[in-house]
Each structure stands twice: as structure tokens, then as C-alpha cells.
Amino acid sequence: MEKVPGPVLESLAKGQDKYVERLNEFLKMPSISTLPAHSGDIRKAAKWLLHEAELLGFKGALYETKGHPVMYAELCPHKDAPTILIYGHYDVQPPDPVDQWCYPPFTPTVHDGCIFARGATDDKGQLLTFFNAIESILAAEGRLPLNVKLVMEGEEEVGSPNFGAFVESHKELLKADIIALSDGEKYRKDMPSICYGLRGLLYMQIDIQGPAYDVHSGLHGGSVMNPALALTWILSKLKDSNGKVLIPGFYDSARDVEPWERKEMAGLPFDEKTEAAMLGVPGLVPEKGYTVLESTRARPTLDINGIWGGFQGEGSKTIIPAAAGAKVSMRLVPDQDPDEIARLFEKYVMSMVPAGVTVKVTKIVGNRALIVSRESPAVKAMASSIEYAFGVKPVFTRDGGSIGAVIAMQSGLGIDDILMLGWGDPDDALHSPNEHFSLENFRRGSLAAAALLYGLAKAKKPLAPAHMAKKEAVK
Amino acid sequence: MEKVPGPVLESLAKGQDKYVERLNEFLKMPSISTLPAHSGDIRKAAKWLLHEAELLGFKGALYETKGHPVMYAELCPHKDAPTILIYGHYDVQPPDPVDQWCYPPFTPTVHDGCIFARGATDDKGQLLTFFNAIESILAAEGRLPLNVKLVMEGEEEVGSPNFGAFVESHKELLKADIIALSDGEKYRKDMPSICYGLRGLLYMQIDIQGPAYDVHSGLHGGSVMNPALALTWILSKLKDSNGKVLIPGFYDSARDVEPWERKEMAGLPFDEKTEAAMLGVPGLVPEKGYTVLESTRARPTLDINGIWGGFQGEGSKTIIPAAAGAKVSMRLVPDQDPDEIARLFEKYVMSMVPAGVTVKVTKIVGNRALIVSRESPAVKAMASSIEYAFGVKPVFTRDGGSIGAVIAMQSGLGIDDILMLGWGDPDDALHSPNEHFSLENFRRGSLAAAALLYGLAKAKKPLAPAHMAKKEAVK
């Protein structure tokens, strides 16, 4: 399997120390998007990334948004080669609780073959594998085998609130044949995977207003509708103990898991007891009629993400709270329309409002689910590149989460070939203390990325402007 | 109606300026019991109060508790006269929000016949009316007409957590025939009242534990029981939309409102629309089959005082919370046993726990309800003293709240004659910005207190040690 030219392989091997040093430099920047105090660090990280791309010969700029800037850079030497758009994010989660880290979160430390730092696996270490691949190819061959566009945002960890608008207003700039990103993890440490599906997300907020201020539960208890109680009456009827969502019409357009997928999922190694122990729960409670893997990756569901109202301190405070509220989100599957589900949700909630309170329902985020064809030349090239770099064929999985940026690019750019990769391991502790990334995965990921660029170039699929135009026309 | 000897009346009238000055001095002390930073001020206020009692010829001391000290002082010159135990509290609520005060909360300011300061009506101004009465009597007559014991705590605003233990360990010291306190308000500005009933309080906490940490709702939504959802399933079944508590057995021992009481309550002026507008609610929702006054003052009920779990910030965070919880309290009526209701509550809650989470139920506070006879000589003396001082017969009311200290004294000392008074007006803004107390109520309250002392002395009911012993024996 001659995937990558020999000189590139040599260059990759020789460059590893330098690549680790570049990652080290990147990880020192506390580019925490959720904390306003770090907006300077965020900008510094974006500039640094642009500079690194420019050092490779890319041309680009920082694009301002309502939030943090998007770094875009391109190196497109070919007229009739395919173009790959590589997505990543340079922002990271906050490091809290800092006292649980073995090493300071922004002092990258290599231990036992892994580099420990916030952002190591999510997503700085993974996005740099593409830089490594590009640098090695350019160093060895002087030229990329296809056109490469890099788009890296600074708000993925806060839900990419401005990325969709950026995509919408830069469709020409971002035009490409294939999107690739590595911002996830293998199915298992020894089982690299390609993700071909994401669940959608509909995130709602319910606010219930009772009295104008907290009132004394002795003086008014028995005559004032308690907004927290009213809230529980509503929330308790959103999902039943079989895991079925009770919103009328919720499942009407949901595409069910197909028999071949159920069979395939059943073949993936999965141990409920281990999973329950890892999560610290007495047991798992999948949707009735479905396995845990099906329930979490290919079935829609509903969760209360937060609930509040009244007194939350130690001891007692005898009040009827003025207000109560909750964040409720739904994971959607293909063919469910977030706007339509939001309407059904609001209608259902409003039908349950008791006398004595007022209720407001707000939509916070809505993203469709995504399914990518597993048969495209791009996916095949990807699968073979992974096998080449990791020594084992990848498994195909659907992911239960939602990546807003991917949905934005798919719908905004009309690109259906999306390669959702993950060089990380499931125990990389992303979003948690002691986040780390294996340097072996860093190396193999870079190799897989290089192989992918050659693989895609072979497919020689050019840009398809007609296809793009059609997509834009039907918008 | 010659209730109070002429010289005492003169003395009261002459002393008013001095009494206002004493109140002024008391109100300058920020004796805020909820804030540890003010424990020095609390002690200063206790010492000051003891000193004021000593100036009147009382003997007493500060009694240490696990929290703030209890001030106790007595002047008991009679062998065969009744003894009155006067309760009050020298602690006050925090003044927040301070920026909403027209005058600084600890710089007492007289405006339009009212003194504005935190604690003016709750309870410093009201407790000092007894000091005023005593001082006037002693100045004019040289001797009290009966024995007086003063007991003033510094933790009423935090629920009197240590007062019960103090009472239990000082039964001999506190032995008395009658308990009196003025720590409330008239039924209406022009309708002074005597409170003959309090609801009890049972305050519980429910804690639900799901996964060991917040988990990603994309990765695990559909397989992990959501503790916030489980919480709503439980809480929603505690009370229905008719205002009926659904805990099996909850009403079994509850004494219902008697027909004569319902008739009497129906005769009290009460306007639902005004009340709803004042509270800022679309309407009141009394228990089905009962009026608002009955529902809030003489019927048991249940409220969620606080609820929490997961993400409560702006925007979205896609988690299944590790835990969720709620404070739930019940107002009880006579014959309901808080311990028994706590057991029923826990049993019912535990019967509803779904698979996948664990639940803990904790009792925080439990107090019985109280009903005082309206026919005792003490109550009659009180009614006639109020009519004398305020020019109008008092109405009798039951209060929907619970006063832990009163229940502690009633059960600990076996005293059934309890005079629960309130010289304040309903719009005195206790616990709120711009708390104030009318100087006219301060004057009339002092007069009523003096009349009461003479009225009780006439009843000439001596201490009843046999009665005491019996109560203690049955404990």
C-alpha cells in the first residue's frame, strides 16, 4: 500500500519533534472562549495559527465575527484538483477544577507518551495533525497534491454561535469538495473510527413567572401558585420512564435506525456494566425497544440540562419563589426539523400552564441531524488512509452529539462529503481535568492526514460549480 | 374603663421622647444574625438590652448558646401573682438591597410619624413597648403589678436553631403562667388583632444523584437517567392543581377548619384582587373547597421552596446533570405530627424513585401547629387592653406562618396561655427595604402592654407548679 511518497514519510518522521514543539507552543495559550477575560488569549491564538499557516505558504486572514475571529487560510495551487476544507477550533474549555490537574493546564507536560494540557486533544493537537501533514508534504515534494483551505474558529466550545453567519457570508471563499475535521475520538483505543452521523440539537428554555417577588410561604402558601411546582408539572410530562418523549408529533418525522445499522451496532464491542461503572450510575436506561448504542447515537431523546428556582442554599428559607425555569434540550435524528419540533414543544408546554403563573418558552439553539454517505470516494479514501496509518480498518459509527459548525458548513456550502475523524482516545479526558493527547496518535493522525490528501488527490474530483449553484438556488 | 392608673398614663406620655430615643439607639446596631461578620454587633445588642433591663431593676444575664446569646432578665417581686414571660428578638434581617432604602438602614430616621430602620417593626420597636410599659409603671408606682420575665433571642431571623435547646435546659428559670410577644402586625391598619393559631412547618430536602459527574447529553442522552427529570416526576406528584397534597395519609390527622371559624373568617375584610395585584400574580389559587384566608391560615399545604440541578447560566450547556435537588416544605395544622408527616413524605418519595438514580430525603425543620384558647382570662385581658389602647376591639386571626420559638416555649414549658400580638401595620415592610414602625403604634403598643400587665395582675392567677410537673411527666 503505497499511500504516501517515501520522502514525505521521512519528512514526517524527522519533523515529529518540531511538531510536538509547535503543539507545545499552541497549548501554552489559554484560549478559553467561555471567559471574557481570555479574549486577548483567544486573539493571540488565532494570530499564531494564521502565522503558522503563512509559514507553510498559505495566504489568509483573521475574519471578524460578532464573537471571536475565524482564521481562514488557503493554498490552492491546482486548477483541476479537488479542494479540501479543513475545519478545526483553536478555543478550549475552561480548566476548572484546576486543583484536580496533575500538571498546570497551560504548562504542557509530556508524561508516559502523552502531552497533558487543556486543549491537547480538543482540538489543538488534532487540528495540528493537518499542519504536520501539509508541512511534511511541502518539505519533501514542494507542492500539495490538491487544494487545501483551512478554516479554524474560536467559538466551538461555546456552541459556534457566529460560525454559521460567517459561512453564510463567505460561501465563495469556502467553496470546496470535501470537508474534513478531526475533533473527536476513536470508537475504542484500538478501534479507529469514521463518524457518518450526528444527532441534531434543539435547545429550549422555559421560564415560569409567579409572584413579582419571592413571597413568604407561611403567609401565602395555599393561595399562590408555586412556579417551581408548576414547572415540575410541565417537565414531568416531557418524557416517560420508558425513555419515550411525550411531545405530540415528536417522532412523526424521525427516521428510525435501519435494520442493517442495528445489526452493525450490535456487532460493536460495548459493555453496559463498564459504561455504567464509568459514569457512576446504578444502571443504564436506554429507550424501550432499543439498545444503549442505538438510544444514544441513532434515536432522538430529551433531557433537562438545568433547572432552577428559589432557595438553593444550606438550611431552610420559607419562600414561594417568584420564578423558576429550566433548560431542556432534545437530540434529533435525520428528517426531524428543529423549527417544527420547537413549535410542537412550545405548543405542548403552553397547553399545560396552570392558573396563577405565566410561562415563556425560548429557543436557544436548533441544528438538524446529519447522515453522510459511507460510499463516496472521499470516505473510501479516508478509510484506507486510516488503515494505512493505524494498521487497522476503521469502524463506522454515528455520534450522539451535535457539531453546529459541521451542520453550518454542510447546509451553507452544500458539501455532502464530510469526513468526521477523531485521532483521540476515549479516555483523553476532554473537557475534564488532565486532558491529554497521545503523541503516538499525534504521529499516526498526521500520517493518516497526509495519506488522505494523496488519496483524495487520486480521486481527482474537481470542484462542481453547477452542484453548488443548484444548492444555492434551492435555498 | 380604668385600665391603667393615672400616674402611669402620665409617665407613659412624658416618657415617649425618651422611649423613642432608646429605640433610636437600639436601631443603630446592625445586629444581623444571618451574617457572621455582624456577630460582634449581635453581642453588643444583647448586652445593650440586658443593660437596659438592669437599669429598670431587672436581674439577668446573657446565656450562651451554640449560636448567638439569649438575654434573660427578671423582676419578680410577688409571691402570689402571675408571672408573664415576654419573648422578643434583638436580631434583624440583612438590609439588602441597600440602594432601595430612602434612609440608611442603620441610621434611624423619623419621617411622617414613622421611624425608618432595619428592625424598626421586626422586632426592636415592638419588644421595646414592653420596656416602655414597665419603665412607666415603675416610675409612677415603684412596683410592677405582677412578675415579669424577659427572654430575648438573637436568632429568630435564622429560624431560632438554638432557642429550643435553651428552653429545654432552662425550664425552671423560664417558668411562667403566660407568654406574650409582639412580633407581628395588625390584621389591617385599623384592625388590631390577636393571633390564636399558627401553622406548623415541616421542611424537607430531596437530593437525587445521577452520574458521578455532569455527563455530555449528546454522548449519553438516551441511556442515562436524568436526575432533574426524575426529580420532576417525584415533585409533580406531591400536590395537584386543586391544591390538594397527594402524600398518602397527609390529611388523616389534620384538624379541619371549624364551621364557626369559617364563618368568622368570611366576615374579615379581604379582597382577592387587591391581594393578587399586590403579589403580582394573575390570580390566587386557593385549595379547592376553601377560601383564600382558610387556605393560607388554617389549611395544610405544600410548597417547593427551591429547586436546582445542572446548568443555570445564559445560553446552553449540553449536560445531563450529576445531581438535582429541591427544598420542599409543608405547612401543618393542629393534630398533624411533623415526625409522622416526615415519614409519610419520605415513604412516598422513595416509592417513586426511578431506575438509574439514587435519592436521599432529609428533614431540616419540623414544628407542630399551634392553637391557643380564645376563652382564657389572659386572652380576655389582652383583648380588653387592646381595645383600651387602640380604641377598637381586636379581631382574632390564625396566622399561616410558624414561629419556632413560640412552639419551643409552649411545648418545652407547658404554657398554653400565649398572647401573640402585633403592634405593626401590614405595610411596615418588614424584611424589605424601608422597614418602618409607626410612632403612634409604638405609643399605643406601650399603653396596651401596660394595660395588659394590670389586667393580668387582676386575674391573680398564681404559678401552677402541679400543672407544670404534669406536663413534664408526660413528655
Side-chain angles (χ1 to χ4, degrees), chain A residues 401-442:
Chain A
S402 315
I403 309 177
V406 171
I407 310 295
M409 289 186 290
Q410 189 241 7
S411 63
L413 305 176
I415 302 173
D416 290 322
D417 270 338
I418 304 176
L419 304 173
M420 292 181 281
L421 312 168
W423 311 140
D425 286 329
D427 64 356
D428 276 353
L430 71 164
H431 293 210
S432 300
N434 303 311
E435 177 178 348
H436 58 277
F437 187 44
S438 147
L439 293 180
E440 184 61 13
N441 286 334
F442 188 55

Side-chain angles (χ1 to χ4, degrees), chain B residues 25-142:
Chain B
E25 216 177 300
F26 198 11
L27 291 175
K28 281 181 189 164
M29 299 173 197
S31 48
I32 306 164
S33 50
T34 51
L35 306 176
H38 287 275
S39 59
D41 297 311
I42 276 276
R43 187 162 293 270
K44 196 177 144 197
K47 277 187 184 165
W48 180 89
L49 203 55
L50 176 61
H51 181 66
E52 289 298 314
E54 287 169 343
L55 287 179
L56 301 179
F58 280 60
K59 295 244 174 304
L62 297 192
Y63 287 76
E64 298 302 327
T65 70
K66 281 185 190 166
H68 302 309
V70 171
M71 191 290 284
Y72 173 81
E74 61 175 40
L75 187 56
C76 299
H78 303 280
K79 286 227 160 135
D80 62 349
T83 299
I84 182 170
L85 176 65
I86 296 167
Y87 167 88
H89 65 90
Y90 62 84
D91 64 322
V92 301
Q93 283 276 322
D96 318 73
V98 174
D99 60 356
Q100 291 180 23
W101 284 75
C102 298
Y103 313 103
F106 297 106
T107 304
T109 306
V110 174
H111 176 79
D112 210 9
C114 293
I115 189 160
F116 286 77
R118 172 57 82 226
T121 193
D122 180 19
D123 177 40
K124 290 174 173 176
Q126 299 207 46
L127 77 82
L128 283 186
T129 60
F130 291 100
F131 281 64
N132 303 345
I134 291 163
E135 179 162 351
S136 298
I137 292 169
L138 290 172
E141 308 274 293

Side-chain angles (χ1 to χ4, degrees), chain A residues 216-226 229 320, chain B residues 199-203 238-240 242-247 250-251 254 285-288 292 294-305 328-333 336 341 345 400-401:
Chain A
H216 194 291
S217 68
L219 303 183
H220 302 288
S223 76
V224 168
M225 176 53 67
N226 188 310
L229 184 64
I320 297 173
Chain B
R199 289 199 284 191
L201 174 68
L202 173 61
Y203 203 105
L238 293 177
K239 190 171 156 184
D240 71 16
N242 287 324
K244 301 290 179 191
V245 177
L246 301 174
I247 302 163
F250 181 78
Y251 292 103
V285 288
E287 182 185 346
K288 195 173 180 185
V292 170
E294 289 162 359
S295 298
T296 53
R297 292 166 182 251
R299 288 290 299 168
T301 189
L302 178 147
D303 268 294
I304 299 174
N305 308 103
V328 176
S329 70
M330 285 143 273
R331 297 289 169 171
L332 308 179
V333 294
Q336 283 184 304
I341 302 286
F345 178 88

Side-chain angles (χ1 to χ4, degrees), chain A residues 158-159 185 199 201 203 205 209-213 215-226 228-233 235-242 275 278-287 292 295-297 299 301-321 324-325 327 329 331 354-358 364-365 399-402 431, chain B residues 158 185 199 201 203 205 209-213 215-226 228-242 275 278-287 292 295-297 299 301-321 324-325 327 329 331 354-358 364-365 399-402 431:
Chain A
V158 290
E185 59 199 29
R199 288 199 287 192
L201 174 67
Y203 203 103
Q205 179 163 333
Q209 181 68 46
Y213 42 90
V215 301
H216 194 291
S217 68
L219 303 183
H220 302 288
S223 76
V224 168
M225 176 53 67
N226 188 310
L229 184 64
L231 182 67
T232 70
W233 289 344
L235 295 177
S236 65
K237 300 211 179 82
L238 294 178
K239 189 171 156 182
D240 71 15
S241 60
N242 288 325
E275 173 97 344
M278 194 259 292
L279 296 171
V281 292
L284 299 178
V285 287
E287 182 184 346
V292 170
S295 298
T296 54
R297 292 166 183 250
R299 287 290 299 167
T301 189
L302 178 147
D303 268 294
I304 299 174
N305 308 102
I307 187 168
W308 61 87
F311 179 63
Q312 309 187 357
E314 287 286 306
S316 63
K317 191 176 179 191
T318 48
I319 53 163
I320 297 173
K327 309 265 185 185
S329 70
R331 296 288 167 171
V357 293
T358 52
I364 296 179
V365 173
D399 195 72
S402 315
H431 293 210
Chain B
V158 290
E185 59 198 30
R199 289 199 284 191
L201 174 68
Y203 203 105
Q205 180 164 331
Q209 180 69 46
Y213 43 90
V215 300
H216 195 289
S217 68
L219 302 183
H220 302 288
S223 76
V224 168
M225 175 55 65
N226 187 310
L229 183 64
L231 182 67
T232 70
W233 288 344
I234 293 171
L235 295 177
S236 65
K237 300 212 179 80
L238 293 177
K239 190 171 156 184
D240 71 16
S241 60
N242 287 324
E275 175 97 344
M278 195 258 293
L279 297 170
V281 291
L284 299 178
V285 288
E287 182 185 346
V292 170
S295 298
T296 53
R297 292 166 182 251
R299 288 290 299 168
T301 189
L302 178 147
D303 268 294
I304 299 174
N305 308 103
I307 187 168
W308 62 86
F311 178 63
Q312 308 186 356
E314 287 287 307
S316 64
K317 192 176 177 191
T318 47
I319 53 164
I320 297 173
K327 310 266 186 183
S329 70
R331 297 289 169 171
V357 293
T358 53
I364 296 180
V365 173
D399 195 73
S402 316
H431 292 210

Side-chain angles (χ1 to χ4, degrees), chain A residues 126-421:
Chain A
Q126 298 207 47
L127 76 82
L128 283 187
T129 58
F130 291 100
F131 282 65
N132 303 347
I134 291 164
E135 180 163 351
S136 300
I137 292 170
L138 291 171
E141 309 273 292
R143 197 179 192 212
L144 291 174
L146 78 178
N147 299 318
V148 175
K149 296 181 172 183
L150 301 171
V151 63
M152 313 264 158
E153 67 157 324
E155 299 187 305
E156 197 274 346
E157 298 296 358
V158 290
S160 304
N162 300 300
F163 191 69
F166 169 76
V167 170
E168 285 300 321
S169 56
H170 295 85
K171 289 186 181 182
E172 195 57 37
L173 187 74
L174 301 173
K175 202 177 270 191
D177 300 284
I178 299 141
I179 294 167
L181 61 148
S182 183
D183 189 22
E185 59 199 29
K186 299 177 234 166
Y187 181 74
R188 213 169 66 177
K189 231 183 176 90
D190 58 353
M191 293 177 75
S193 46
I194 293 176
C195 171
Y196 70 99
L198 297 173
R199 288 199 287 192
L201 174 67
L202 173 62
Y203 203 103
M204 308 291 290
Q205 179 163 333
I206 300 176
D207 285 285
I208 306 200
Q209 181 68 46
Y213 42 90
D214 291 351
V215 301
H216 194 291
S217 68
L219 303 183
H220 302 288
S223 76
V224 168
M225 176 53 67
N226 188 310
L229 184 64
L231 182 67
T232 70
W233 289 344
I234 293 170
L235 295 177
S236 65
K237 300 211 179 82
L238 294 178
K239 189 171 156 182
D240 71 15
S241 60
N242 288 325
K244 300 291 179 191
V245 178
L246 301 173
I247 301 163
F250 181 78
Y251 293 104
D252 285 0
S253 55
R255 199 193 303 173
D256 206 351
V257 207
E258 309 215 19
W260 65 265
E261 274 184 307
R262 302 191 74 165
K263 202 175 154 194
E264 196 176 84
M265 283 187 184
L268 287 172
F270 181 75
D271 183 53
E272 275 198 43
K273 279 189 185 165
T274 307
E275 173 97 344
M278 194 259 292
L279 296 171
V281 292
L284 299 178
V285 287
E287 182 184 346
K288 195 173 179 185
Y290 295 89
T291 66
V292 170
L293 282 185
E294 288 162 0
S295 298
T296 54
R297 292 166 183 250
R299 287 290 299 167
T301 189
L302 178 147
D303 268 294
I304 299 174
N305 308 102
I307 187 168
W308 61 87
F311 179 63
Q312 309 187 357
E314 287 286 306
S316 63
K317 191 176 179 191
T318 48
I319 53 163
I320 297 173
K327 309 265 185 185
V328 176
S329 70
M330 285 143 274
R331 296 288 167 171
L332 308 180
V333 294
D335 302 343
Q336 282 184 306
D337 173 9
D339 291 333
E340 171 63 11
I341 302 287
R343 272 191 298 275
L344 296 174
F345 178 88
E346 179 167 6
K347 188 177 164 196
Y348 182 52
V349 167
M350 291 317 248
S351 75
M352 295 188 281
V353 178
V357 293
T358 52
V359 174
K360 195 176 79 172
V361 175
T362 313
K363 179 179 148 190
I364 296 179
V365 173
N367 282 323
R368 288 180 163 276
L370 176 74
I371 285 265
V372 175
S373 161
R374 292 161 51 162
E375 303 304 324
S376 74
V379 170
K380 291 188 172 171
M382 187 70 252
S384 116
S385 300
I386 288 175
E387 187 177 357
Y388 172 72
F390 288 87
V392 49
K393 270 191 209 300
V395 295
F396 283 89
T397 61
R398 283 170 71 170
D399 195 72
S402 315
I403 309 177
V406 171
I407 310 295
M409 289 186 290
Q410 189 241 7
S411 63
L413 305 176
I415 302 173
D416 290 322
D417 270 338
I418 304 176
L419 304 173
M420 292 181 281
L421 312 168

